[in-house]
Amino acid sequence: MTTVLGCIADDFTGATDLAGLLARSGVQVSLRIGVPSELPKKTGPFEVIALKCRNAPVAQAVAECRAALVWLQAAGAKRFFWKYCSTFDCTDEGNIGPVAEALMSDLGIDQTIYCPAFPENGRSIFMGNLFVGQQPLAESSMRDHPLTPMRDSNLMRLLSPQVTKPVGLADRLSVAKGAAALRAKLDILKGEGIAHVVVDAVADPDLEIIAEACQNMSLMTGGSAVAKSLPALYLADGTLSADAPQMQKPEIAKETIILSGSCSAMTNAQVSEYIARGAPEYLLDPLSLIETGLDPVLAWLAEQDLTKAPLIYATAAPGNVKAAQRAIGVAKVGDLIEQTLASCAVAARDAGARRIIVAGGETSGAVTQALCVTQLDIGVEIASGVPWTFCHSAGHQIALTLKSGNFGAPTFFHDAQARLDNL
Ligand code: ADP
């Protein structure tokens, strides 16, 4: 069917997060990894294109997002959403502003909004200042982010140097007056030549008002949360027909593999919890891997009963990770583990695994690439921001879930399986 909303996300887990929130509506949401090389054939009402351009050079990010826009327009979309991080991760140059301005120019529009707020996750905006929990952004841990250190909390000041047109604010007082009043405020700002409007939101009801006020804008920008109520609004005004395709709930065979390359604190807890259940497990040790190659782990995998959902993991405590990095090199050990887990995913699929659970953002990228997966249909949510997805790999329908670092409860690996059993 014709796409109703076309979304462009600046990284993969951000795309999954947005797709998962849209899918809470029960409507079909499709996620593409990169801009598809072919023009759209079969598209869904909500299409999300995951790019990897958060930290790319500005010109490259702009070019990729423009290409994504062209593809989404060919899918029939008339409304678009530019999704970036809820902590507004960017450098002085971009890429949030330059991409928004390029998309506005291509769409021939003179105003958009910026709303990275995600109250459920502690991101709120007041008087144009972004807060992480109770701290202003520039006093939060984002201050020392390795790639995009955020040293200012004021979104207008962050955005202004990135764009050529004026930046303004629709503050909480305007939002609190409701959707019609907010629309009127945006019109007044438009009359004053304000192209880029930061919009305050401190709680979910604010986001609902903003979504309602902006639902007919050609381009909205923000974190995923402000898009959450768009499906319901589109259904209510008939933009989305009541018989729009629904989320898939296919029956997927029980054979499962769990692959964990994340070393974050929550993944460490999840791996320990799963092992404590007595699940079959194989620890990948980077130094032994260099000596022996893939044979031992593949031999172990070949002997497993996949209905018992075995776990292969490199997940380790920070001290062990540092030691491996010192011995092998940060990039090299990362790549070694990612490629090993990717090979295990392919071997497990060929051995009959149809449910694949992956922990780790970079690890997920390596696994999807090895499985040649470029399109995912979003399914039920396992934990906030982590849905099951359904895709095809080597002619098989596969259920895949890709969990980044700190997402999910300690029981995540068990929860994921249970969620699919109880569709
Ligand atoms: P997260 O989402 O938690 O950041 P990622 O998969 O994005 O997880 O990143 C984890 C990185 O750590 C990957 O590059 C992975 O290959 C690497 N890694 C995993 N286990 C180990 C280990 N035992 N020693 C060193 N590096 C590791």
Side-chain angles (χ1 to χ4, degrees):
M1 76 168 275
T2 305
T3 297
V4 170
L5 181 71
C7 306
I8 305 168
D10 69 352
D11 84 342
F12 182 74
T13 43
T16 327
D17 166 23
L18 171 63
L21 286 188
L22 292 169
R24 279 187 191 172
S25 64
V27 177
Q28 183 194 335
V29 179
S30 167
L31 191 156
R32 320 255 167 186
I33 302 172
V35 182
S37 50
E38 291 179 3
L39 280 173
K41 278 190 219 110
K42 214 170 140 257
T43 59
F46 292 91
E47 289 283 343
V48 180
I49 296 185
L51 299 177
K52 209 176 170 185
C53 66
R54 182 167 297 168
N55 300 303
V58 175
Q60 185 188 328
V62 165
E64 283 181 19
C65 290
R66 282 194 144 133
L69 179 70
V70 168
W71 191 90
L72 292 165
Q73 284 176 312
K78 302 258 184 305
R79 295 176 183 80
F80 303 89
F81 193 90
W82 164 224
K83 154 79 174 75
Y84 39 80
C85 192
S86 62
T87 41
F88 213 69
D89 299 13
C90 57
T91 62
D92 291 348
E93 296 80 42
N95 290 327
I96 295 174
V99 167
E101 211 155 53
L103 298 177
M104 288 167 76
S105 154
D106 290 356
L107 291 166
I109 57 168
D110 43 21
Q111 193 179 60
T112 190
I113 62 148
Y114 295 79
C115 187
F118 198 153
E120 211 178 298
N121 290 348
R123 277 44 156 176
S124 56
I125 311 166
F126 186 64
M127 297 301 162
N129 290 280
L130 182 58
F131 291 81
V132 177
Q134 296 183 346
Q135 292 171 315
L137 176 67
E139 292 169 37
S140 74
S141 62
M142 285 304 294
R143 186 181 164 74
D144 297 315
H145 189 278
L147 299 173
T148 49
M150 303 305 289
R151 298 287 168 98
D152 196 344
S153 310
N154 184 291
L155 296 176
M156 286 87 77
R157 273 201 304 265
L158 287 166
L159 194 56
S160 288
Q162 298 184 18
V163 290
T164 61
K165 303 241 174 73
V167 176
L169 171 69
D171 70 20
R172 177 91 204 294
L173 304 174
S174 306
V175 174
K177 288 183 191 140
L182 177 57
R183 248 192 314 263
K185 173 72 182 173
L186 292 170
D187 282 341
I188 292 169
L189 291 171
K190 198 189 271 187
E192 294 167 359
I194 306 292
H196 305 283
V197 187
V198 171
V199 187
D200 276 355
V202 301
D204 271 344
D206 298 334
L207 292 176
E208 282 166 30
I209 290 170
I210 298 165
E212 190 184 340
C214 301
Q215 70 185 98
N216 291 319
M217 269 189 165
S218 301
L219 176 69
M220 290 170 68
T221 89
S224 52
V226 73
K228 190 168 57 177
S229 42
L230 290 175
L233 290 163
Y234 293 160
L235 270 170
D237 77 358
T239 304
L240 187 65
S241 59
D243 60 357
Q246 297 293 295
M247 171 194 286
Q248 284 190 49
K249 292 183 179 174
E251 286 249 342
I252 304 278
K254 247 188 157 358
E255 282 76 5
T256 303
I257 185 75
I258 305 178
L259 305 164
S260 179
S262 158
C263 294
S264 65
M266 182 49 84
T267 310
N268 268 286
Q270 289 161 340
V271 165
S272 303
E273 196 276 348
Y274 194 62
I275 292 172
R277 283 173 191 266
E281 37 110 3
Y282 187 101
L283 169 64
L284 289 172
D285 169 50
L287 289 170
S288 334
L289 248 185
I290 286 197
E291 273 174 34
T292 60
L294 285 173
D295 289 350
V297 63
L298 292 181
W300 180 84
L301 181 58
E303 285 168 7
Q304 297 309 303
D305 173 359
L306 294 174
T307 62
K308 297 213 163 78
L311 163 71
I312 301 175
Y313 65 107
T315 303
N320 294 355
V321 174
K322 285 231 164 59
Q325 288 175 332
R326 264 198 303 273
I328 303 172
V330 176
K332 208 167 158 207
V333 69
D335 202 49
L336 175 72
I337 300 291
E338 286 164 33
Q339 291 315 317
T340 302
L341 289 170
S343 301
C344 291
V346 172
R349 176 202 65 197
D350 294 344
R354 297 292 174 261
R355 302 176 180 195
I356 303 182
I357 300 172
V358 188
E362 293 298 322
T363 311
S364 294
V367 168
T368 48
Q369 205 168 14
L371 293 174
C372 297
V373 169
T374 55
Q375 195 253 326
L376 306 157
D377 281 320
I378 307 300
V380 289
E381 220 173 7
I382 304 160
S384 182
V386 198
W388 268 110
T389 71
F390 303 105
C391 59
H392 285 89
S393 177
H396 304 290
Q397 188 175 37
I398 306 273
L400 185 63
T401 184
L402 307 163
K403 181 199 86 79
S404 73
N406 280 316
F407 282 58
T411 50
F412 179 80
F413 296 135
H414 171 76
D415 297 347
Q417 297 174 58
R419 194 77 185 89
L420 216 48
D421 286 338
N422 301 319
L423 277 183

